[in-house]
Amino acid sequence: MTHLSVNLNKIGLLRNSRGRNYPNLMSMAERTLELGAFGITIHPRPDQRHATYQDAYDLKNLLQRFPDRELNIEGFPDSQFLSVVLEVEPDQCTLVPDDPNQLTSDHGWNVARDQDALRPVIAKLKEKGIRVVLFMDPEAENMTLAKEIGADRVELYTEAYANAYGKDGFEQVVEQYQQAAQAAIDAGLGVNAGHDLDLNNIEPLCRAGRVTEVSIGHALTIEALDLGWDNVVKAYLSKLA
Ligand SMILES: CC(=O)[C@@H](O)[C@H](O)COP(=O)(O)O
Ligand SMILES: NCC(=O)COP(=O)(O)O
Protein backbone atom coordinates (compact mmCIF):
# COMPACT_ATOMS: atom_id res chain seq x y z
CA MET A 1 0.00 0.00 0.00
CA THR A 2 1.21 3.51 -0.83
CA HIS A 3 -0.04 6.58 1.03
CA LEU A 4 -1.75 9.33 -0.99
CA SER A 5 -0.94 12.94 -0.12
CA VAL A 6 -3.08 15.31 -2.18
CA ASN A 7 -1.32 18.49 -3.28
CA LEU A 8 -3.76 21.42 -3.14
CA ASN A 9 -1.60 23.94 -5.02
CA LYS A 10 -4.08 24.11 -7.91
CA ILE A 11 -7.00 24.71 -5.58
CA GLY A 12 -4.99 27.63 -4.27
CA LEU A 13 -4.37 28.81 -7.83
CA LEU A 14 -8.10 28.84 -8.58
CA ARG A 15 -8.83 30.59 -5.29
CA ASN A 16 -6.20 33.28 -5.83
CA SER A 17 -7.41 33.97 -9.38
CA ARG A 18 -10.44 35.87 -8.05
CA GLY A 19 -9.08 37.18 -4.76
CA ARG A 20 -11.90 35.50 -2.84
CA ASN A 21 -11.84 32.40 -0.63
CA TYR A 22 -13.54 30.29 -3.33
CA PRO A 23 -12.75 27.47 -3.75
CA ASN A 24 -12.02 27.20 -0.06
CA LEU A 25 -8.74 25.35 0.29
CA MET A 26 -9.42 24.31 3.88
CA SER A 27 -12.81 22.85 2.92
CA MET A 28 -11.18 20.89 0.09
CA ALA A 29 -8.52 19.63 2.47
CA GLU A 30 -11.13 18.50 5.01
CA ARG A 31 -13.18 16.82 2.28
CA THR A 32 -10.06 15.08 0.93
CA LEU A 33 -9.08 13.75 4.35
CA GLU A 34 -12.63 12.59 5.05
CA LEU A 35 -12.46 10.64 1.77
CA GLY A 36 -9.49 8.77 3.22
CA ALA A 37 -6.41 10.50 1.83
CA PHE A 38 -3.40 10.02 4.13
CA GLY A 39 -2.17 13.55 3.80
CA ILE A 40 -2.31 17.04 2.37
CA THR A 41 0.62 18.65 0.56
CA ILE A 42 1.17 22.28 -0.32
CA HIS A 43 4.15 23.93 -1.95
CA PRO A 44 4.07 27.64 -1.03
CA ARG A 45 6.36 29.45 -3.48
CA PRO A 46 7.90 32.87 -2.73
CA ASP A 47 5.29 34.64 -4.90
CA GLN A 48 2.50 32.63 -3.22
CA ARG A 49 0.92 32.19 -6.67
CA HIS A 50 -1.15 29.31 -5.32
CA ALA A 51 -0.57 27.88 -1.83
CA THR A 52 0.19 30.62 0.68
CA TYR A 53 2.20 30.64 3.87
CA GLN A 54 -1.07 31.28 5.73
CA ASP A 55 -2.43 28.05 4.23
CA ALA A 56 0.37 26.24 6.04
CA TYR A 57 -0.79 27.56 9.42
CA ASP A 58 -4.45 26.92 8.62
CA LEU A 59 -3.78 23.37 7.45
CA LYS A 60 -1.78 22.63 10.57
CA ASN A 61 -4.82 23.61 12.62
CA LEU A 62 -7.11 21.48 10.45
CA LEU A 63 -4.85 18.45 10.74
CA GLN A 64 -5.25 18.57 14.54
CA ARG A 65 -8.66 17.05 13.88
CA PHE A 66 -7.09 14.21 11.88
CA PRO A 67 -4.33 12.93 14.19
CA ASP A 68 -3.61 9.88 12.01
CA ARG A 69 -3.04 11.97 8.86
CA GLU A 70 -0.13 14.15 7.78
CA LEU A 71 0.72 17.61 6.52
CA ASN A 72 3.59 17.83 4.03
CA ILE A 73 4.99 21.25 3.17
CA GLU A 74 7.24 21.43 0.13
CA GLY A 75 9.53 24.19 -0.96
CA PHE A 76 12.92 25.78 -1.31
CA PRO A 77 14.51 26.42 2.10
CA ASP A 78 14.87 30.19 1.90
CA SER A 79 14.55 32.18 5.14
CA GLN A 80 10.84 32.89 4.74
CA PHE A 81 9.98 29.27 3.97
CA LEU A 82 12.09 27.98 6.84
CA SER A 83 10.66 30.40 9.39
CA VAL A 84 7.12 29.33 8.44
CA VAL A 85 7.92 25.60 8.50
CA LEU A 86 9.74 25.85 11.84
CA GLU A 87 6.68 27.60 13.30
CA VAL A 88 4.06 25.36 11.70
CA GLU A 89 5.97 22.12 12.41
CA PRO A 90 4.33 19.94 9.75
CA ASP A 91 4.72 16.18 9.93
CA GLN A 92 6.95 16.32 6.87
CA CYS A 93 8.93 18.93 4.95
CA THR A 94 10.06 18.16 1.41
CA LEU A 95 12.99 20.35 0.35
CA VAL A 96 12.90 21.22 -3.36
CA PRO A 97 15.73 23.05 -5.19
CA ASP A 98 13.47 25.48 -7.04
CA ASP A 99 14.31 29.03 -8.03
CA PRO A 100 11.60 31.60 -7.18
CA ASN A 101 10.69 32.23 -10.83
CA GLN A 102 10.46 28.59 -11.95
CA LEU A 103 7.15 27.66 -13.61
CA THR A 104 7.18 24.41 -11.66
CA SER A 105 9.60 21.99 -10.04
CA ASP A 106 11.83 20.48 -12.71
CA HIS A 107 14.90 18.94 -11.02
CA GLY A 108 16.13 17.27 -7.89
CA TRP A 109 18.93 18.30 -5.53
CA ASN A 110 22.60 18.05 -6.45
CA VAL A 111 23.44 16.70 -3.03
CA ALA A 112 27.20 16.60 -3.68
CA ARG A 113 27.24 20.31 -4.53
CA ASP A 114 24.57 21.42 -2.02
CA GLN A 115 25.42 19.23 0.97
CA ASP A 116 27.05 21.98 3.04
CA ALA A 117 23.98 24.19 2.66
CA LEU A 118 21.53 21.34 3.26
CA ARG A 119 23.08 19.77 6.40
CA PRO A 120 22.23 22.62 8.85
CA VAL A 121 18.77 23.11 7.34
CA ILE A 122 17.96 19.42 7.70
CA ALA A 123 19.31 19.40 11.26
CA LYS A 124 17.20 22.41 12.24
CA LEU A 125 14.02 20.82 10.85
CA LYS A 126 14.74 17.50 12.52
CA GLU A 127 15.31 19.24 15.86
CA LYS A 128 11.61 20.16 15.63
CA GLY A 129 10.64 16.56 14.96
CA ILE A 130 9.84 17.23 11.31
CA ARG A 131 10.50 14.38 8.88
CA VAL A 132 12.82 15.72 6.17
CA VAL A 133 12.55 14.64 2.54
CA LEU A 134 14.88 15.60 -0.30
CA PHE A 135 13.40 15.97 -3.79
CA MET A 136 15.74 13.86 -5.92
CA ASP A 137 16.23 12.67 -9.47
CA PRO A 138 16.07 8.84 -9.74
CA GLU A 139 19.84 8.36 -9.51
CA ALA A 140 20.76 5.42 -7.26
CA GLU A 141 24.31 6.67 -6.76
CA ASN A 142 23.16 9.76 -4.83
CA MET A 143 21.05 8.04 -2.18
CA THR A 144 23.83 7.22 0.30
CA LEU A 145 24.92 10.87 0.48
CA ALA A 146 21.30 11.97 0.89
CA LYS A 147 21.17 9.78 3.98
CA GLU A 148 24.56 10.94 5.24
CA ILE A 149 23.48 14.60 5.22
CA GLY A 150 20.48 13.73 7.38
CA ALA A 151 17.48 13.13 5.15
CA ASP A 152 14.80 10.74 6.42
CA ARG A 153 13.35 10.12 2.98
CA VAL A 154 13.81 11.06 -0.65
CA GLU A 155 11.01 12.04 -3.01
CA LEU A 156 11.72 10.65 -6.46
CA TYR A 157 10.99 13.33 -9.08
CA THR A 158 8.72 11.48 -11.48
CA GLU A 159 8.31 13.78 -14.49
CA ALA A 160 10.62 11.59 -16.61
CA TYR A 161 8.62 8.56 -15.50
CA ALA A 162 5.34 10.21 -16.47
CA ASN A 163 6.72 11.34 -19.83
CA ALA A 164 7.86 7.77 -20.63
CA TYR A 165 4.50 6.21 -19.83
CA GLY A 166 2.87 4.49 -22.79
CA LYS A 167 6.00 4.79 -24.95
CA ASP A 168 8.71 2.37 -26.03
CA GLY A 169 11.30 2.01 -23.30
CA PHE A 170 8.88 2.68 -20.44
CA GLU A 171 9.82 -0.59 -18.72
CA GLN A 172 13.48 0.51 -18.63
CA VAL A 173 12.44 3.78 -17.00
CA VAL A 174 10.37 1.91 -14.44
CA GLU A 175 13.41 -0.22 -13.67
CA GLN A 176 15.56 2.89 -13.20
CA TYR A 177 13.09 4.25 -10.66
CA GLN A 178 12.85 0.91 -8.88
CA GLN A 179 16.66 0.72 -8.66
CA ALA A 180 16.81 4.26 -7.28
CA ALA A 181 14.10 3.39 -4.76
CA GLN A 182 15.92 0.23 -3.69
CA ALA A 183 19.19 2.15 -3.34
CA ALA A 184 17.41 4.65 -1.10
CA ILE A 185 15.96 1.85 1.02
CA ASP A 186 19.37 0.16 1.24
CA ALA A 187 20.81 3.49 2.44
CA GLY A 188 18.20 3.63 5.21
CA LEU A 189 15.89 6.14 3.56
CA GLY A 190 12.16 6.07 3.02
CA VAL A 191 10.86 6.65 -0.51
CA ASN A 192 8.23 9.15 -1.61
CA ALA A 193 7.48 10.05 -5.21
CA GLY A 194 5.77 12.86 -7.07
CA HIS A 195 5.33 15.21 -10.02
CA ASP A 196 3.07 14.52 -13.01
CA LEU A 197 1.73 11.28 -11.59
CA ASP A 198 -1.82 10.48 -12.67
CA LEU A 199 -4.48 7.77 -12.62
CA ASN A 200 -3.05 6.11 -15.73
CA ASN A 201 0.62 6.01 -14.81
CA ILE A 202 0.54 5.53 -11.03
CA GLU A 203 0.45 1.76 -10.72
CA PRO A 204 3.73 0.57 -12.34
CA LEU A 205 5.64 2.94 -10.03
CA CYS A 206 4.00 1.71 -6.85
CA ARG A 207 3.45 -1.97 -7.70
CA ALA A 208 6.78 -3.16 -6.27
CA GLY A 209 5.89 -1.73 -2.87
CA ARG A 210 9.00 0.45 -2.42
CA VAL A 211 7.16 3.78 -2.53
CA THR A 212 5.74 4.80 0.86
CA GLU A 213 3.91 7.95 -0.26
CA VAL A 214 2.96 9.72 -3.47
CA SER A 215 1.98 13.38 -3.59
CA ILE A 216 -0.31 14.25 -6.46
CA GLY A 217 -2.02 17.51 -7.34
CA HIS A 218 -1.90 18.80 -10.91
CA ALA A 219 -3.30 15.77 -12.74
CA LEU A 220 -5.67 14.91 -9.88
CA THR A 221 -7.26 18.35 -10.10
CA ILE A 222 -7.65 18.08 -13.87
CA GLU A 223 -9.00 14.53 -13.66
CA ALA A 224 -11.55 15.83 -11.16
CA LEU A 225 -12.95 18.17 -13.84
CA ASP A 226 -14.13 15.04 -15.67
CA LEU A 227 -14.78 12.58 -12.86
CA GLY A 228 -15.53 14.74 -9.83
CA TRP A 229 -13.23 15.30 -6.87
CA ASP A 230 -14.60 12.57 -4.64
CA ASN A 231 -14.49 9.96 -7.42
CA VAL A 232 -10.89 10.84 -8.33
CA VAL A 233 -9.62 10.69 -4.75
CA LYS A 234 -11.37 7.35 -4.28
CA ALA A 235 -9.90 6.09 -7.57
CA TYR A 236 -6.36 6.92 -6.42
CA LEU A 237 -6.97 5.30 -3.06
CA SER A 238 -8.20 2.16 -4.78
CA LYS A 239 -5.17 1.99 -7.09
CA LEU A 240 -2.77 2.57 -4.18
CA ALA A 241 -4.39 0.11 -1.75
C1 LIG B 1 7.88 19.31 -6.00
C2 LIG B 1 6.86 18.97 -7.00
O1 LIG B 1 7.09 18.30 -7.96
C3 LIG B 1 5.53 19.46 -6.80
O2 LIG B 1 5.19 19.18 -5.51
C4 LIG B 1 5.40 20.93 -6.92
O3 LIG B 1 4.70 21.38 -5.81
C5 LIG B 1 4.61 21.35 -8.10
O4 LIG B 1 4.53 22.75 -7.99
P1 LIG B 1 3.41 23.54 -8.83
O5 LIG B 1 2.06 23.07 -8.32
O6 LIG B 1 3.72 24.97 -8.52
O7 LIG B 1 3.62 23.15 -10.28
N1 LIG C 1 5.67 16.47 -4.90
C1 LIG C 1 4.76 16.31 -5.99
C2 LIG C 1 3.48 17.00 -5.66
O1 LIG C 1 3.24 17.36 -4.52
C3 LIG C 1 2.48 17.23 -6.71
O2 LIG C 1 3.03 17.22 -7.99
P1 LIG C 1 1.95 17.30 -9.19
O3 LIG C 1 1.05 16.11 -9.05
O4 LIG C 1 1.21 18.58 -9.00
O5 LIG C 1 2.77 17.25 -10.45
Side-chain angles (χ1 to χ4, degrees):
M1 175 184 173
T2 299
H3 286 155
L4 172 65
S5 185
V6 175
N7 184 311
L8 296 180
N9 287 355
K10 300 302 159 10
I11 300 299
L13 194 65
L14 278 171
R15 173 196 60 192
N16 296 358
S17 67
R18 278 289 174 92
R20 299 198 305 265
N21 198 17
Y22 181 64
N24 184 310
L25 192 142
M26 294 308 128
S27 302
M28 292 303 289
E30 184 176 22
R31 176 175 171 183
T32 302
L33 293 167
E34 285 171 348
L35 285 162
F38 176 77
I40 298 295
T41 291
I42 56 168
H43 185 151
R45 295 180 179 273
D47 62 9
Q48 301 189 82
R49 67 190 77 161
H50 40 51
T52 66
Y53 297 117
Q54 185 57 48
D55 289 330
Y57 292 92
D58 295 343
L59 285 168
K60 172 74 176 193
N61 290 333
L62 174 68
L63 268 290
Q64 305 304 323
R65 289 180 27 224
F66 297 87
D68 61 338
R69 316 295 173 81
E70 292 197 351
L71 174 60
N72 174 40
I73 301 179
E74 300 191 335
F76 179 81
D78 62 24
S79 57
Q80 166 104 59
F81 176 84
L82 275 178
S83 68
V84 170
V85 172
L86 290 169
E87 270 195 332
V88 169
E89 296 184 17
D91 303 279
Q92 179 173 271
C93 179
T94 301
L95 301 178
V96 188
D98 285 358
D99 293 329
N101 56 2
Q102 269 181 229
L103 176 65
T104 186
S105 308
D106 61 12
H107 62 283
W109 287 100
N110 179 333
V111 284
R113 181 194 64 200
D114 301 331
Q115 59 182 302
D116 292 343
L118 283 168
R119 282 179 196 273
V121 168
I122 294 170
K124 206 176 289 183
L125 292 166
K126 290 178 75 167
E127 277 168 24
K128 289 275 190 173
I130 300 167
R131 181 189 314 126
V132 178
V133 181
L134 291 180
F135 192 63
M136 301 282 287
D137 296 308
E139 293 161 350
E141 63 274 16
N142 294 324
M143 300 306 170
T144 302
L145 184 53
K147 176 67 176 178
E148 282 172 9
I149 65 177
D152 298 299
R153 295 188 188 174
V154 294
E155 176 179 345
L156 298 180
Y157 167 44
T158 48
E159 180 173 356
Y161 167 89
N163 288 342
Y165 178 77
K167 298 172 184 164
D168 291 344
F170 177 60
E171 283 312 312
Q172 285 78 3
V173 175
V174 173
E175 182 54 27
Q176 178 192 357
Y177 277 81
Q178 295 303 335
Q179 286 177 5
Q182 189 56 53
I185 292 165
D186 294 346
L189 292 161
V191 180
N192 293 354
H195 203 93
D196 283 342
L197 295 174
D198 64 31
L199 279 173
N200 294 318
N201 67 32
I202 189 75
E203 286 175 295
L205 180 74
C206 299
R207 193 173 296 144
R210 295 186 176 97
V211 178
T212 299
E213 176 180 302
V214 290
S215 43
I216 307 175
H218 189 77
L220 185 151
T221 307
I222 294 165
E223 289 158 340
L225 297 177
D226 289 329
L227 301 173
W229 187 268
D230 294 15
N231 291 329
V232 166
V233 173
K234 288 175 188 170
Y236 276 104
L237 291 172
S238 170
K239 284 179 180 280
L240 295 169

Short mmCIF file of all heavy atoms in Angstrom, two decimals, residues 28 31 35 199 219-236:
data_model
loop_
_atom_site.label_atom_id
_atom_site.label_comp_id
_atom_site.label_asym_id
_atom_site.label_seq_id
_atom_site.Cartn_x
_atom_site.Cartn_y
_atom_site.Cartn_z
N MET A 28 -11.62 21.96 0.99
CA MET A 28 -11.18 20.89 0.09
C MET A 28 -10.24 19.94 0.81
O MET A 28 -10.27 18.72 0.60
CB MET A 28 -10.50 21.48 -1.14
CG MET A 28 -11.43 22.24 -2.07
SD MET A 28 -12.82 21.24 -2.65
CE MET A 28 -11.99 20.11 -3.75
N ARG A 31 -12.44 17.78 3.11
CA ARG A 31 -13.18 16.82 2.28
C ARG A 31 -12.25 15.69 1.81
O ARG A 31 -12.60 14.51 1.84
CB ARG A 31 -13.75 17.58 1.09
CG ARG A 31 -14.48 16.79 0.04
CD ARG A 31 -15.06 17.76 -0.96
NE ARG A 31 -15.61 17.13 -2.14
CZ ARG A 31 -16.13 17.80 -3.17
NH1 ARG A 31 -16.15 19.14 -3.13
NH2 ARG A 31 -16.62 17.17 -4.23
N LEU A 35 -12.36 11.69 2.80
CA LEU A 35 -12.46 10.64 1.77
C LEU A 35 -11.46 9.52 2.01
O LEU A 35 -11.52 8.47 1.40
CB LEU A 35 -12.25 11.26 0.39
CG LEU A 35 -13.42 12.08 -0.16
CD1 LEU A 35 -12.95 12.99 -1.28
CD2 LEU A 35 -14.55 11.16 -0.62
N LEU A 199 -3.77 9.03 -12.80
CA LEU A 199 -4.48 7.77 -12.62
C LEU A 199 -3.98 6.69 -13.58
O LEU A 199 -4.03 5.51 -13.28
CB LEU A 199 -5.99 7.98 -12.82
CG LEU A 199 -6.75 8.55 -11.63
CD1 LEU A 199 -8.19 8.86 -12.02
CD2 LEU A 199 -6.72 7.59 -10.43
N ALA A 219 -2.45 16.67 -11.96
CA ALA A 219 -3.30 15.77 -12.74
C ALA A 219 -4.59 15.44 -11.98
O ALA A 219 -5.68 15.38 -12.56
CB ALA A 219 -2.56 14.48 -13.07
N LEU A 220 -4.48 15.24 -10.68
CA LEU A 220 -5.67 14.91 -9.88
C LEU A 220 -6.73 15.98 -10.02
O LEU A 220 -7.93 15.70 -10.20
CB LEU A 220 -5.25 14.71 -8.43
CG LEU A 220 -6.29 14.25 -7.41
CD1 LEU A 220 -5.63 13.45 -6.29
CD2 LEU A 220 -7.12 15.38 -6.83
N THR A 221 -6.31 17.24 -9.99
CA THR A 221 -7.26 18.35 -10.10
C THR A 221 -7.91 18.37 -11.49
O THR A 221 -9.13 18.57 -11.62
CB THR A 221 -6.56 19.69 -9.82
OG1 THR A 221 -5.87 19.62 -8.57
CG2 THR A 221 -7.55 20.85 -9.78
N ILE A 222 -7.11 18.10 -12.50
CA ILE A 222 -7.65 18.08 -13.87
C ILE A 222 -8.56 16.88 -14.08
O ILE A 222 -9.65 16.99 -14.67
CB ILE A 222 -6.49 18.10 -14.88
CG1 ILE A 222 -5.74 19.43 -14.78
CG2 ILE A 222 -7.00 17.88 -16.31
CD1 ILE A 222 -4.38 19.40 -15.45
N GLU A 223 -8.15 15.73 -13.55
CA GLU A 223 -9.00 14.53 -13.66
C GLU A 223 -10.34 14.75 -12.98
O GLU A 223 -11.38 14.26 -13.41
CB GLU A 223 -8.27 13.33 -13.06
CG GLU A 223 -7.08 12.85 -13.90
CD GLU A 223 -6.06 12.04 -13.10
OE1 GLU A 223 -6.05 12.14 -11.85
OE2 GLU A 223 -5.28 11.31 -13.73
N ALA A 224 -10.31 15.56 -11.90
CA ALA A 224 -11.55 15.83 -11.16
C ALA A 224 -12.54 16.66 -11.99
O ALA A 224 -13.76 16.60 -11.77
CB ALA A 224 -11.23 16.54 -9.85
N LEU A 225 -12.04 17.40 -12.96
CA LEU A 225 -12.95 18.17 -13.84
C LEU A 225 -13.86 17.22 -14.62
O LEU A 225 -15.01 17.55 -14.94
CB LEU A 225 -12.14 19.05 -14.80
CG LEU A 225 -11.27 20.14 -14.16
CD1 LEU A 225 -10.47 20.87 -15.24
CD2 LEU A 225 -12.13 21.13 -13.37
N ASP A 226 -13.33 16.04 -14.94
CA ASP A 226 -14.13 15.04 -15.67
C ASP A 226 -14.91 14.13 -14.72
O ASP A 226 -16.08 13.85 -14.90
CB ASP A 226 -13.20 14.15 -16.52
CG ASP A 226 -12.63 14.91 -17.70
OD1 ASP A 226 -13.31 15.82 -18.20
OD2 ASP A 226 -11.48 14.63 -18.07
N LEU A 227 -14.22 13.67 -13.67
CA LEU A 227 -14.78 12.58 -12.86
C LEU A 227 -15.41 13.05 -11.55
O LEU A 227 -16.12 12.31 -10.90
CB LEU A 227 -13.67 11.57 -12.55
CG LEU A 227 -12.99 10.93 -13.77
CD1 LEU A 227 -11.79 10.09 -13.33
CD2 LEU A 227 -13.98 10.10 -14.56
N GLY A 228 -15.07 14.27 -11.15
CA GLY A 228 -15.53 14.74 -9.83
C GLY A 228 -14.46 14.47 -8.78
O GLY A 228 -13.78 13.43 -8.82
N TRP A 229 -14.31 15.38 -7.85
CA TRP A 229 -13.23 15.30 -6.87
C TRP A 229 -13.30 14.02 -6.05
O TRP A 229 -12.31 13.29 -5.92
CB TRP A 229 -13.27 16.53 -5.95
CG TRP A 229 -12.11 16.65 -5.01
CD1 TRP A 229 -12.04 16.17 -3.73
CD2 TRP A 229 -10.85 17.27 -5.29
NE1 TRP A 229 -10.80 16.48 -3.21
CE2 TRP A 229 -10.06 17.15 -4.12
CE3 TRP A 229 -10.31 17.93 -6.41
CZ2 TRP A 229 -8.76 17.65 -4.06
CZ3 TRP A 229 -9.02 18.43 -6.34
CH2 TRP A 229 -8.26 18.29 -5.17
N ASP A 230 -14.48 13.75 -5.52
CA ASP A 230 -14.60 12.57 -4.64
C ASP A 230 -14.27 11.29 -5.40
O ASP A 230 -13.53 10.43 -4.91
CB ASP A 230 -16.02 12.48 -4.06
CG ASP A 230 -16.34 13.62 -3.09
OD1 ASP A 230 -15.59 14.62 -3.10
OD2 ASP A 230 -17.33 13.50 -2.36
N ASN A 231 -14.75 11.18 -6.65
CA ASN A 231 -14.49 9.96 -7.42
C ASN A 231 -13.01 9.80 -7.72
O ASN A 231 -12.47 8.69 -7.70
CB ASN A 231 -15.29 9.99 -8.73
CG ASN A 231 -16.77 9.87 -8.51
OD1 ASN A 231 -17.22 9.22 -7.55
ND2 ASN A 231 -17.55 10.52 -9.36
N VAL A 232 -12.32 10.92 -8.00
CA VAL A 232 -10.89 10.84 -8.33
C VAL A 232 -10.08 10.45 -7.11
O VAL A 232 -9.21 9.58 -7.17
CB VAL A 232 -10.40 12.19 -8.90
CG1 VAL A 232 -8.89 12.26 -8.93
CG2 VAL A 232 -10.93 12.39 -10.31
N VAL A 233 -10.36 11.06 -5.96
CA VAL A 233 -9.62 10.69 -4.75
C VAL A 233 -9.85 9.21 -4.43
O VAL A 233 -8.90 8.47 -4.15
CB VAL A 233 -10.04 11.59 -3.56
CG1 VAL A 233 -9.40 11.08 -2.26
CG2 VAL A 233 -9.63 13.04 -3.82
N LYS A 234 -11.08 8.77 -4.55
CA LYS A 234 -11.37 7.35 -4.28
C LYS A 234 -10.65 6.45 -5.29
O LYS A 234 -10.15 5.37 -4.95
CB LYS A 234 -12.88 7.10 -4.33
CG LYS A 234 -13.66 7.68 -3.16
CD LYS A 234 -15.16 7.49 -3.38
CE LYS A 234 -16.00 8.22 -2.35
NZ LYS A 234 -17.45 8.22 -2.72
N ALA A 235 -10.57 6.89 -6.54
CA ALA A 235 -9.90 6.09 -7.57
C ALA A 235 -8.42 5.94 -7.25
O ALA A 235 -7.84 4.85 -7.37
CB ALA A 235 -10.11 6.73 -8.95
N TYR A 236 -7.76 7.03 -6.82
CA TYR A 236 -6.36 6.92 -6.42
C TYR A 236 -6.20 6.00 -5.22
O TYR A 236 -5.30 5.13 -5.20
CB TYR A 236 -5.79 8.31 -6.09
CG TYR A 236 -5.31 9.08 -7.30
CD1 TYR A 236 -6.06 10.12 -7.82
CD2 TYR A 236 -4.11 8.73 -7.94
CE1 TYR A 236 -5.64 10.81 -8.94
CE2 TYR A 236 -3.68 9.43 -9.05
CZ TYR A 236 -4.45 10.46 -9.55
OH TYR A 236 -4.03 11.15 -10.67
#
